[in-house]
Amino acid sequence: MKNWKQLIGLDNLSADYSFARGESTGYTAAAKIPDTWVPTTCGYCSVGCGIEIGVKEGRAIASRPHAAHPVNRGKLCPKGLAEHYTIDTDNRLRTPLLRKGGKLVPVSWDEALSTMVERFRGTQARHGASALGVLSTGQLVTEEFYTLGKLVQLGFGTNNYDGNTTLCMASAVSGYKATFGSDGPPGSYQDMEDADVVFLIGANIADNHPILTQYLHNKPGQVVISADPRVTKTAMRSDLHLPLRPRTDLALLNGLAHLLIELDLVDHAFIAAHTQGFEELRRFVAEYPPARVAEITGLSQEQLYRTASLLGRAKSAFLAWTMGVNHSTQGTETVSAICNLSLLTGKIGKAGSAPFSITGQCNAMGTRETGFTASLPGYRKFDNPADRADLARLWNVEESRLPRARGGAYPDIIEGAVAGRIRALWIIATNPLVSFPNQSLLRHALGNLDFLVVQDGYHPTPTTELADLVLPAAIWGEKEGTYTNSERRVSKVNRAVAPPGEAKADFEIFLAVAEKLGCREELYPGWTCVEDAFNEWRRVSAGRLCDYSGISYALLAEQGAVQWPYPAGATEGTERLYGDGAFPTADGRAKLTCAAWAPFPEQPNRDYPLILNTGRTVEHWHTRTKTKEVPILERLSPHAWLEMNPRDAQAIGLRSHDRVSVVSRRGSVEKVELRLTEIIAPGQVFMPFHYFEANVNEVTQSAFDPISREPNYKQCAVRVERSGVNK
Amino acid sequence: MTSLPLLVSELVQWRATEAEVEATPCSLIPSREPGTGEQYRFHFDMSKCIGCKCCVVACNEQNGNPAAINWRRVGEVEGGHYPNTQRHYLSMGCNHCVEPSCLIGCPVEAYTKSPTTGVVVHSADACIGCQYCVWNCSYGVPQYNPERGVVGKCDLCHNRLSDGEAPACASACPEGAIAIEIVNVAEWKASYAAQQTPGLPAGEDCISTTRITLPAHLPPDLGRVDTQHLQAEAPHWPLVFMLVLTQLAVGSFSLLWVLDAAGGLVEASRAGALLLGIASVSLAASTLHLGRPVYAWRALRNLRRSWLSREVFALSLFAGIAAVYAGALWVDLPHRGWLGVMTAVAGAAGLLCSARLYMVPARPAWNSFYTPVEFFATAVLLGPLFVSALGGAELRTVAVVGAGLQLGVQAMRFLWLSQSEAFELRAVARLLGGRFQNLFLLRMAILIGAGIALPLVVTSPGGQAWALALALGGEILGRWLFFVSVVPQSMAAGFSTSRGAA
């Protein structure tokens, strides 16, 4: 409300809008000049930008790029530039909340954790240890993932533990494992800059990893090829866009392998020395001649020849992908097929050459390495007795306590809850009520539970609202640790401000739960801070591919962010893996894999004639829990939309800005603003997934990669109906 | 790499031509200050922009603006057909024009153009929040901040520039698409017209200095994406009432003088006093339109250039003379005819200034002779109805002429708008025939009913009063439509964001 001086205009708030010259900022709005800048790493995506939080009187008031950080070259994306707004919001959770008489009421930490442990233990006593499921995230610091993994697998004794990373990068993990014998992105961003050819497959980096676009087109003559059914910002800026039909990427990749062999653009010496399975692959891809591949993909044979020729003749080629590949029932196989191309041409382990997964979340890599979900910590294998023995020795526990197989992956935990096998669930820093496909099934699953704990920084979120117990967590900017980015770069995360109310760092919560369980001293002997966890992890990772043993907090302070492997005694990190051509497989050779292309599971028909694709927008992050609290980002992208080609719209009498319903066999999403645009092909529609208010995952399907268990978010059959007219 | 079988000319669509690339310096800011005949300006490279909107966020942070105000905005243009589609982005702050229409129109001289740097700077302390600059700018650059009661706009971060630092937008851009450079003003004036940017007004009314590098190969149908999403402009209620009531007063006073001179006037003293009251109240109420009403008097500062200053002056003069004339009528002063003439002339001048100030290139639907004719028709309609309702004289046929004129104006204007090639004009017709169709038709029906049918059919004073009340309501509705239906020239907006927004 305005006071009388403002009403008549005597006061124009010039004090609030004044400017000043800050020593560290230059001339700027006086309110944006902080007392100190705290260096840290961005908490959104896995590009892993260095960022500084401006703190004034204990509050975060500004964000700016960390000029010296090697990744982002003094820039941030719009989310990063406004990241401080995520911290001090009205909906931060300040105390634990326990459901009593149907309502969530504030309780003490002691009551909260006692109840949690009692309920979890009770459920496990009645239904078996594996009746407890845990769903984690890619958002915590590495030290927390490491701590949580031990707590879940050794403390609670359940292996039904997975992260939202399975909704994200699991196919990259399993594809790497299938080809190279281990997870671990082989290349670096620098390789992207140094490559003669950059081949982006299902990767719209201009929207989703905008800071990486700085690495493109700097090298004279660099050619960027983009394979994407949608004419994305990235596709438009590529030199060659391959507008293939949805989910025909595996056919394209097999076809390219065919052409590379046919045109003799393969590296015979490398194949002979470092791979196995070439003959099988040669025979297999003979079934993917250009004519057939053109038929499947909708590309011209000329485009296929040109792409193969570019990849084969270039001195270096960087093959990068993101969710267009991973979000697929054939994701793992498609990743392996990408790796095939690198191996066939010998373009791996050399400057400018690598197959490379551009990861999603800020610390998805950290949980992949330490997390104890899809593998044992340090990329150790559940089914490898030597790995288990090694870990048991390091931890000084009985080997029998280590699980011999992976438990349920994310979708299997959800389906387990539907079937009644999972009775209690602990969800940490993720919001499945926006992000999980086929929401009606998820609601059914969560409704079946005896007890649901949600640990989050914010309340309400669509997920915390369903919880029996909500634990208030500190978030980015309020806690310490490390993140590891897409290029294996370990970057320090620092605390700039105190968490609100009684909120605690996830690390402290995990230790407190262990305390209640009575396993704190056993699992975390003498630990008081996250650095203790990091130092144990260094020992556990020593000698592994993801070797952190030479990295300490002191070294990170001195050298800045560094890339693993960084063994003890080394003086610098490792820019790329497999430079020696030795792969972590049984015979030291990478495996060329044969994977047959199949159409995506839910093909359009008369009732559901359109193929729905889902994705992101540059202004928002994942389920928008954070970015909806940032006014400028909401201003720039306030609501969901559906992209449709004008030719399809004309046929059903729709106009731009009409409100439409998107309907699939599983559900519908209503009142979505229609955007007619030629960036989407006729027969396809696209919708961003960030918006709970219009949640596209009401219509996406429960179809998962059989190996990685990653959902097939990118294609399902829908129809579009008018629900309101634009006037 | 040259051996690669890639025909660059065939494939590379988004890149700038080599000549453009050559002409673009690497540094974000010039290494020297502008010399004589030169000024700073923005260079925007559309071929580099990926539409990430970092510039918008950085600008808001730099200037401490709330999210709803964006001194830098990003718009979209799109063309071509799948898969040969192109979508490009326009990032724009202030164009620091050679002949800034914001500065020329500002009644309080809150704008200055630096003689050394050419930067157009706005003073929040001098500003009274009349928002006339908002109407004058073809790019939607000045934006009103309701919390402060003043407008604000991009000042090229000239205080950073003078410290050797890049403006916030330029320094935030990951692609290096925004830079500051020095332009020779005379050379630019000779060559600027050749720069045609899809999604941006041509800018001949103010000579934008911003240089824009376009991608080398653009589809011919590349155009704005926001054309299907029309937003109503603010109604400016105080101005709606001020315009209609001053027009009523001008029409009525003019009739009083004519009737008085012809000796056919009865009830003159009551009519004069009442009209004076109406005119005074409407003028006083118009200050409520200002963000800072207490400084309304400053609006007289720029009589040299601003039609708003002139309107304030002319209408104040009209009110002053009308007061004397009303006094003369009240005391039945002899030889008062010349006072009546002066009142009518000052009123007509005020009415014309009112109309003229809306005739700005940035609001094409206002920028036509229909505006003064519409305002004049209101005076011809309401003046006689008012005098008749007070029993002053029998002027029903004059009112019918006024109503007929207004009907004709509205019908012809609608026809002109709907047949126009220009988006900003056609869009007004779409609003009047679409979202505001019922109100527009009601307005026309009231003109027929209260301006023609009632005056011709009903003769009782009560009936005349009804006709006046209805017609007054109709004209108020008409003026409201005048404000809300105008579609300003601006940079193309994004799809999801509102017009004028980032």
Side-chain angles (χ1 to χ4, degrees):
Chain A
M1 275 304 285
K2 286 186 169 189
N3 63 32
W4 69 270
K5 276 186 166 176
Q6 284 171 268
L7 279 172
I8 67 166
L10 272 178
D11 180 6
N12 68 355
L13 304 180
S14 51
D16 296 355
Y17 283 84
S18 64
F19 288 78
R21 279 186 170 79
E23 206 173 301
S24 64
T25 60
Y27 187 89
T28 191
K32 301 285 178 180
I33 300 175
D35 305 328
T36 53
W37 290 99
V38 178
T40 185
T41 310
C42 178
Y44 288 118
C45 85
S46 70
V47 172
C49 297
I51 188 169
E52 290 185 308
I53 306 175
V55 181
K56 186 178 183 176
E57 290 158 11
R59 293 187 58 212
I61 59 151
S63 311
R64 71 175 185 188
H66 186 354
H69 200 276
V71 164
N72 45 315
R73 303 179 171 178
K75 307 290 177 184
L76 289 171
C77 81
K79 297 181 287 290
L81 287 171
E83 200 157 354
H84 56 284
Y85 289 104
T86 61
I87 296 175
D88 189 8
T89 69
D90 293 341
N91 62 346
R92 285 301 305 282
L93 187 57
R94 286 170 164 76
T95 60
L97 300 174
L98 182 63
R99 195 170 294 280
K100 289 180 175 176
K103 280 179 67 177
L104 286 169
V105 296
V107 294
S108 69
W109 270 107
D110 188 61
E111 183 181 350
L113 296 184
S114 298
T115 310
M116 174 177 169
V117 167
E118 196 178 297
R119 296 295 302 264
F120 280 178
R121 279 300 193 212
T123 296
Q124 290 184 300
R126 281 192 302 281
H127 303 286
S130 62
L132 170 65
V134 180
L135 290 175
S136 148
T137 176
Q139 299 285 128
L140 305 183
V141 293
T142 297
E143 294 77 353
E144 291 169 341
F145 285 130
Y146 180 74
T147 308
L148 178 63
K150 288 180 92 176
L151 177 64
V152 174
Q153 302 267 15
L154 303 180
F156 281 111
T158 176
N159 61 357
N160 282 321
Y161 169 40
D162 199 12
N164 66 3
T165 43
T166 289
L167 309 185
C168 185
M169 292 309 294
S171 298
V173 174
S174 43
Y176 281 141
K177 281 182 185 168
T179 299
F180 303 128
S182 172
D183 187 14
S188 292
Y189 300 154
Q190 191 57 47
D191 291 325
M192 187 185 229
E193 184 158 57
D194 293 342
D196 288 339
V197 171
V198 175
F199 187 16
L200 298 169
I201 307 145
N204 177 14
I205 61 172
D207 264 318
N208 303 333
H209 304 93
I211 289 304
L212 286 188
T213 61
Q214 291 186 105
Y215 287 82
L216 293 181
H217 290 122
N218 295 335
K219 182 177 186 179
Q222 184 183 69
V223 173
V224 178
I225 309 169
S226 168
D228 202 311
R230 194 165 154 248
V231 194
T232 61
K233 285 181 191 174
T234 310
M236 276 178 223
R237 289 176 51 80
S238 299
D239 301 292
L240 179 61
H241 173 211
L242 304 176
L244 73 179
R245 292 203 182 96
R247 248 294 291 280
T248 58
D249 41 9
L250 183 52
L252 169 66
L253 295 162
N254 285 339
L256 291 173
H258 174 105
L259 283 176
L260 287 170
I261 295 168
E262 181 189 292
L263 300 172
D264 199 25
L265 294 173
V266 297
D267 184 336
H268 293 287
F270 184 89
I271 292 168
H274 302 297
T275 70
Q276 53 148 313
F278 177 70
E279 269 312 306
E280 292 92 319
L281 181 70
R282 195 179 58 77
R283 281 195 298 277
F284 174 75
V285 296
E287 294 165 34
Y288 289 84
R292 182 182 172 219
V293 173
E295 176 78 27
I296 293 170
T297 60
L299 300 173
S300 69
Q301 292 194 40
E302 192 204 354
Q303 284 170 315
L304 301 174
Y305 272 102
R306 184 170 285 173
T307 306
S309 177
L310 281 164
L311 288 173
R313 292 183 208 277
K315 286 199 186 70
S316 52
F318 189 79
L319 278 51
W321 72 93
T322 61
M323 300 311 149
V325 167
N326 292 333
H327 282 165
S328 156
T329 48
Q330 290 195 292
T332 303
E333 292 172 322
T334 311
V335 168
S336 288
I338 294 171
C339 297
N340 280 352
L341 300 186
S342 295
L343 293 168
L344 285 174
T345 54
K347 293 191 175 78
I348 183 167
K350 299 168 188 156
S353 287
F356 191 81
S357 51
I358 304 173
T359 305
Q361 301 178 76
C362 53
N363 201 25
M365 287 287 291
T367 191
R368 275 153 70 171
E369 294 145 16
T370 68
F372 218 152
T373 54
S375 57
L376 302 174
Y379 292 159
R380 291 176 176 88
K381 294 182 176 65
F382 283 107
D383 57 3
N384 184 329
D387 281 354
R388 284 204 310 276
D390 190 27
L391 207 51
R393 178 184 55 78
L394 282 161
W395 283 343
N396 196 23
V397 296
E398 288 293 317
E399 195 193 316
S400 60
R401 284 176 68 188
L402 298 177
R404 286 163 183 275
R406 176 186 187 175
Y410 194 148
D412 307 312
I413 292 171
I414 298 303
E415 276 163 17
V418 172
R421 293 190 303 273
I422 300 285
R423 296 296 188 115
L425 192 59
W426 182 10
I427 297 177
I428 301 156
T430 186
N431 189 13
L433 265 287
V434 179
S435 56
F436 196 73
N438 192 2
Q439 289 276 306
S440 64
L441 182 110
L442 174 71
R443 283 189 293 265
H444 180 151
L446 298 186
N448 269 4
L449 295 172
D450 296 338
F451 199 63
L452 172 63
V453 180
V454 180
Q455 183 166 321
D456 207 296
Y458 302 83
H459 174 77
T461 73
T463 305
T464 62
E465 279 183 316
L466 299 181
D468 298 299
L469 173 66
V470 191
L471 300 178
I475 62 164
W476 177 88
E478 297 168 345
K479 58 182 188 176
E480 191 185 13
T482 54
Y483 291 155
T484 303
N485 75 356
S486 288
E487 57 164 0
R488 298 169 278 103
R489 191 177 293 279
V490 182
S491 192
K492 192 74 199 320
V493 171
N494 289 312
R495 171 178 161 139
V497 296
E502 295 171 34
K504 289 182 189 196
D506 298 270
F507 179 75
E508 292 171 43
I509 298 173
F510 300 148
L511 291 192
V513 172
E515 183 89 50
K516 288 278 178 203
L517 269 179
C519 61
R520 176 171 173 161
E521 260 322 293
E522 186 204 6
L523 298 183
Y524 317 116
W527 286 17
T528 56
C529 60
V530 285
E531 193 169 1
D532 295 328
F534 189 80
N535 287 334
E536 184 177 304
W537 162 241
R538 289 169 62 194
R539 287 196 302 279
V540 169
S541 70
R544 308 295 307 172
L545 184 64
C546 50
D547 191 333
Y548 280 61
S549 58
I551 307 174
S552 66
Y553 279 14
L555 181 123
L556 291 174
E558 189 188 309
Q559 293 194 4
V562 297
Q563 288 173 286
W564 65 251
Y566 199 124
T571 53
E572 56 179 19
T574 309
E575 198 164 13
R576 70 189 64 79
L577 307 179
Y578 312 136
D580 54 1
F583 295 92
T585 53
D587 58 3
R589 290 163 174 266
K591 184 168 168 34
L592 292 163
T593 54
C594 304
W597 169 82
F600 60 85
E602 191 179 65
Q603 293 289 318
N605 63 10
R606 207 184 54 189
D607 292 335
Y608 302 96
L610 298 163
I611 305 166
L612 172 69
N613 180 3
T614 71
R616 297 150 198 260
T617 184
V618 68
E619 296 89 350
H620 285 296
W621 171 247
H622 278 191
T623 67
R624 218 165 113 258
T625 304
K626 285 181 170 179
T627 49
K628 105 174 134 44
E629 303 304 320
V630 182
I632 186 67
L633 300 177
E634 278 290 278
R635 161 85 168 166
L636 295 173
S637 191
H639 49 68
W641 71 91
L642 180 82
E643 285 172 9
M644 178 185 266
N645 188 282
R647 279 165 270 181
D648 288 331
Q650 199 174 20
I652 47 179
L654 292 171
R655 295 193 315 169
S656 242
H657 302 282
D658 280 348
R659 299 288 157 162
V660 294
S661 305
V662 184
V663 187
S664 76
R665 289 173 178 85
R666 293 155 294 280
S668 70
V669 47
E670 315 287 335
K671 292 190 178 159
V672 186
E673 189 172 12
L674 183 68
R675 176 168 197 175
L676 300 187
T677 172
E678 290 283 349
I679 78 171
I680 191 97
Q684 301 173 31
V685 290
F686 170 89
M687 195 174 155
F689 67 74
H690 306 289
Y691 300 88
F692 175 67
E693 301 85 344
N695 186 0
V696 74
N697 284 319
E698 295 287 349
V699 301
T700 51
Q701 64 184 136
S702 302
F704 304 96
D705 182 297
I707 305 160
S708 71
R709 307 304 287 145
E710 183 145 345
N712 196 100
Y713 283 112
K714 293 286 184 190
Q715 303 88 20
C716 70
V718 298
R719 67 167 174 267
V720 171
E721 299 166 348
R722 189 201 307 276
S723 56
V725 182
N726 169 38
K727 259 177 102 174
Chain B
M1 283 300 296
T2 46
S3 64
L4 290 173
L6 180 73
L7 304 174
V8 170
S9 61
E10 185 187 346
L11 296 168
V12 179
Q13 304 216 314
W14 56 269
R15 284 184 183 163
T17 61
E18 279 181 28
E20 288 274 20
V21 173
E22 292 276 309
T24 302
C26 304
S27 166
L28 297 178
I29 57 174
S31 53
R32 63 177 178 89
E33 290 180 355
T36 314
E38 294 181 326
Q39 73 162 82
Y40 286 128
R41 70 163 167 196
F42 280 112
H43 171 236
F44 171 64
D45 190 338
M46 189 187 272
S47 70
K48 288 184 176 169
C49 178
I50 57 168
C52 68
K53 301 169 190 165
C54 284
C55 50
V56 180
V57 178
C59 176
N60 269 45
E61 288 297 293
Q62 164 70 20
N63 295 296
N65 277 327
I69 291 169
N70 309 111
W71 290 354
R72 180 161 280 272
R73 296 164 293 151
V74 172
E76 293 174 21
V77 288
E78 197 177 306
H81 292 280
Y82 183 91
N84 300 309
T85 315
Q86 290 191 41
R87 180 186 291 170
H88 294 291
Y89 301 88
L90 282 158
S91 168
M92 195 183 74
C94 173
N95 296 314
H96 301 281
C97 301
V98 175
E99 295 166 7
S101 51
C102 55
L103 179 151
I104 294 166
C106 178
V108 301
E109 301 188 313
Y111 285 92
T112 45
K113 185 170 173 69
S114 162
T116 51
T117 65
V119 174
V120 177
V121 177
H122 173 264
S123 161
D125 288 331
C127 179
I128 60 172
C130 74
Q131 302 156 63
Y132 192 36
C133 51
V134 178
W135 298 350
N136 266 305
C137 177
S138 292
Y139 302 96
V141 167
Q143 285 167 48
Y144 181 64
N145 181 341
E147 182 189 45
R148 299 193 68 182
V150 296
V151 298
K153 71 162 197 68
C154 155
D155 64 357
L156 206 128
C157 287
H158 66 100
N159 284 305
R160 290 182 70 81
L161 212 50
S162 61
D163 293 344
E165 288 164 353
C169 53
S171 102
C173 178
E175 305 298 314
I178 305 170
I180 306 299
E181 58 188 26
I182 289 171
V183 59
N184 179 302
V185 175
E187 283 173 16
W188 182 244
K189 281 170 88 166
S191 64
Y192 78 93
Q195 174 174 284
Q196 295 288 333
T197 308
L200 267 189
E204 63 270 10
D205 51 308
C206 50
I207 314 185
S208 155
T209 63
T210 303
R211 183 171 73 92
I212 296 175
T213 296
L214 298 177
H217 304 280
L218 292 174
D221 62 340
L222 190 76
R224 51 201 303 161
V225 301
D226 61 344
T227 55
Q228 300 300 310
H229 190 45
L230 301 177
Q231 297 219 325
E233 287 287 302
H236 299 295
W237 280 110
L239 298 183
V240 169
F241 281 97
M242 187 273 271
L243 287 172
V244 172
L245 293 177
T246 55
Q247 284 150 20
L248 179 152
V250 169
S252 303
F253 265 118
S254 304
L255 285 171
L256 286 187
W257 160 61
V258 173
L259 292 170
D260 190 30
L265 188 62
V266 290
E267 294 280 357
S269 53
R270 194 156 67 105
L274 202 54
L275 280 174
L276 183 63
I278 290 171
S280 308
V281 167
S282 71
L283 284 177
S286 71
T287 63
L288 295 178
H289 163 67
L290 302 178
R292 304 173 76 194
V294 72
Y295 295 116
W297 54 272
R298 289 185 189 165
L300 288 165
R301 271 189 181 164
N302 193 8
L303 286 171
R304 250 174 341 120
R305 289 187 310 240
S306 170
W307 281 104
L308 181 57
S309 291
R310 291 169 191 165
E311 183 209 35
V312 173
F313 177 75
L315 287 177
S316 304
L317 192 69
F318 161 69
I321 302 173
V324 179
Y325 184 50
L329 286 171
W330 190 268
V331 300
D332 204 9
L333 194 75
H335 311 298
R336 58 182 180 250
W338 59 276
L339 271 174
V341 175
M342 282 175 63
T343 308
V345 168
L351 191 150
L352 282 173
C353 288
S354 276
R356 179 62 185 81
L357 83 86
Y358 291 94
M359 294 164 67
V360 291
R363 305 216 150 189
W366 290 352
N367 191 23
S368 87
F369 77 98
Y370 288 114
T371 299
V373 179
E374 176 175 352
F375 288 10
F376 180 70
T378 301
V380 179
L381 168 68
L382 296 181
L385 285 179
F386 180 85
V387 177
S388 301
L390 283 183
E394 188 59 40
L395 294 168
R396 289 182 299 164
T397 46
V398 183
V400 171
V401 170
L405 180 62
Q406 190 69 291
L407 272 172
V409 168
Q410 296 304 322
M412 285 173 63
R413 181 172 183 262
F414 184 79
L415 206 65
W416 165 65
L417 292 168
S418 57
Q419 312 232 316
S420 170
E421 296 276 303
F423 158 71
E424 290 84 359
L425 296 176
R426 222 171 45 249
V428 178
R430 248 174 48 213
L431 281 171
L432 290 175
R435 194 181 311 168
F436 300 124
Q437 187 188 46
N438 291 341
L439 292 170
F440 184 59
L441 291 175
L442 177 65
R443 198 260 162 119
M444 301 294 266
I446 290 174
L447 278 172
I448 296 169
I452 299 174
L454 265 180
L456 290 181
V457 175
V458 184
T459 52
S460 67
Q464 300 290 319
W466 270 109
L468 171 67
L470 259 178
L472 184 62
E475 290 310 279
I476 285 170
L477 172 58
R479 211 58 83 245
W480 180 85
L481 285 169
F482 176 82
F483 280 106
V484 298
S485 70
V486 73
V487 175
Q489 283 203 329
S490 188
M491 180 184 73
F495 181 83
S496 292
T497 42
S498 47
R499 276 185 72 84

